[in-house]
């Protein structure tokens, strides 16, 4: 993921920790080695090349003394099972955390229809619940597919620092997604979370990065090692 | 330093890196172990208790493979010489970086008068150039001393997440400092940088955190190991 998304995750982590002093904040190590190869591309072509790099980093964090690991990258969660299996410490799994807020937001227990805005892989493969072709039918699925290019443009803009343009285009994207009447919209790429501002407070939009940060705080407060 | 200030430093680092892809961003390790003891208090009572903790962390980062270390905490720089001496990798020293922008901002080569807003130690001890009693004379120095309590309140508010109130009070603080006619005002605590918004673009205000982030990028681009 991009460096701005990392900063956003840490900002949410700081803001959601309701503490009075420095000393009460969660201790953490952030490992940002952005030379990791493109996750979305790998998934689309059926390769798991980035997995080896992710595992290497995760095991390094375990060895460094971390008690749990969070990966604020949606696409990397395609390999969540493999990562969890390789670790002897906990992986706080962002995708699993989404299930409850998804049902609360949609007001449905089952048969929800979710539009994910994210990398091509995250949008087209069933990473989150209620996101596949069967949930929407051919016609709407086609319209969702057509959002891929403009989503990719927003993500690229955030990574390259074109924030003003990216924010405007994200607003438009959300509007386009809303017109397809999903039960919920997931900001399924941390670059989108990074520029979302107050979007996630608005109706049926879910921001996994905020939910992950909150869960990390809960983990830390709830009897870590 | 507080976790929000850490996030702010990383945000500036990301935004100032003019790159197109994740892979071009600076690789980094952030070590945020906020149980380190109060730096300002230690300096005020003449103790160097936090130095041992800072050195332990710096040497850990060196051992982890970092090529240079940046400490986005102003107060910790009272021990910059000791830290530099203990390391075999480079310490990118925030205080030294300030000298040029300070002279550019003030338009003076020497005899500048600088007001630092920061922790009590940073405000009252000569960490930055042009900040001591002799530069201002007794009366103005007394007025600067009186800004300490309200600065401490803003810092505490940021650490505790009371951002709206802190922002309002920082505006007032800057106005009070300006009324004492310094050549420059330094946002000498990363908690103030974290909430400064566009302040540092405005006239004679210097934000060391932004300058440090830019220097880290320069270091990375200029032939790191």
């Amino acid at each position: 993921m991009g460096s701005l998304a990392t900063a956003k995750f840490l900002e949410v982590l700081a803001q959601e920790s309701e503490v009075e002093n420095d000393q009460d904040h969660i201790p953490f190590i952030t490992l940002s080695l952005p030379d990791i190869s493109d996750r979305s591309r790998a998934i689309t072509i059926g390769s798991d090349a980035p997995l080896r790099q992710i595992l290497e980093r995760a095991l390094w964090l375990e060895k460094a003394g971390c008690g749990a690991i969070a990966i604020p990258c949606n696409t990397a969660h395609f390999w969540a099972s493999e990562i969890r299996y390789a670790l002897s410490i906990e992986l706080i799994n962002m995708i699993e955390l989404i299930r409850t807020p998804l049902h609360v937001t949609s007001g449905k227990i089952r048969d929800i229809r979710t539009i994910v805005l994210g990398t091509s892989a995250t949008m087209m493969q069933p990473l989150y619940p209620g996101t596949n072709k069967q949930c929407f039918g051919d016609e709407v699925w086609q319209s969702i597919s057509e959002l891929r290019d403009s989503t990719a443009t927003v993500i690229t803009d955030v990574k390259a620092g074109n924030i003003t343009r990216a924010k405007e285009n994200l607003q438009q994207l959300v509007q386009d997604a809303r017109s397809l009447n999903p039960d919920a919209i997931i900001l399924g790429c941390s670059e989108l979370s990074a520029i979302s501002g107050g979007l996630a407070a608005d109706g049926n939009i879910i921001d996994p990065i905020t939910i992950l940060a909150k869960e990390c705080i809960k983990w830390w407060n709830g009897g870590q090692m």
Side-chain angles (χ1 to χ4, degrees), chain A:
Chain A
M1 57 191 267
S3 300
L4 190 67
T6 305
K8 167 71 181 187
F9 174 70
L10 297 179
E11 188 189 320
V12 179
L13 195 69
Q15 286 177 336
E16 294 289 339
S17 302
E18 289 169 359
V19 299
E20 291 292 322
N21 305 303
D22 280 3
Q23 288 74 18
D24 302 325
H25 275 282
I26 301 181
F28 62 81
I29 300 173
T30 309
L31 191 59
S32 182
L33 302 178
D35 61 335
I36 198 164
S37 52
D38 189 311
R39 281 79 64 203
S40 179
R41 193 172 166 274
I43 290 154
T44 306
I45 64 172
S47 150
D48 61 2
L51 175 60
R52 189 184 48 79
Q53 294 171 297
I54 295 173
L55 284 179
E56 201 176 3
R57 286 148 171 79
L59 290 168
W60 187 89
L61 286 167
E62 177 172 315
K63 208 175 153 200
C66 294
I69 289 180
I71 306 177
C73 168
N74 294 262
T75 316
H77 280 77
F78 278 102
W79 296 289
S81 308
E82 288 89 337
I83 300 166
R84 175 168 282 171
Y85 184 77
L87 290 172
S88 52
I89 57 174
E90 187 175 347
L91 174 71
I92 303 178
N93 186 326
M94 188 157 71
I95 309 301
E96 287 176 6
L97 295 174
I98 296 306
R99 294 179 195 272
T100 309
L102 205 55
H103 292 300
V104 170
T105 302
S106 70
K108 288 182 178 177
I109 301 296
R110 50 195 295 277
D111 293 340
I112 51 170
R113 304 191 324 154
T114 316
I115 294 180
V116 180
L117 300 174
T119 60
S120 186
T122 315
M123 288 180 76
M124 292 295 108
Q125 313 245 5
L127 181 64
Y128 286 103
T131 55
N132 64 16
K133 200 174 180 174
Q134 287 68 41
C135 301
F136 287 94
D138 283 356
E139 200 179 327
V140 178
W141 182 250
Q142 181 57 33
S143 302
I144 294 174
S145 309
E146 285 164 10
L147 298 177
R148 270 189 301 175
D149 283 352
S150 36
T151 311
T153 304
V154 175
I155 295 171
T156 305
D157 269 344
V158 177
K159 288 183 195 291
N162 302 319
I163 307 301
T164 312
R165 186 169 67 191
K167 279 185 178 174
E168 285 168 15
N169 289 338
L170 178 59
Q171 293 280 356
Q172 183 59 49
L173 251 180
V174 166
Q175 206 171 311
D176 293 346
R178 275 223 174 99
S179 72
L180 302 171
N181 288 318
D183 296 308
I185 298 168
I186 295 178
L187 301 175
C189 174
S190 48
E191 262 69 33
L192 304 182
S193 301
I195 58 158
S196 63
L199 262 183
D202 187 18
N204 58 349
I205 299 176
I206 291 175
D207 172 23
I209 291 299
T210 301
I211 292 167
L212 181 63
K214 285 182 180 174
E215 188 67 20
C216 289
I217 296 164
K218 205 170 140 191
W219 174 84
W220 174 249
N221 292 332
Q224 75 294 349
M225 292 187 297

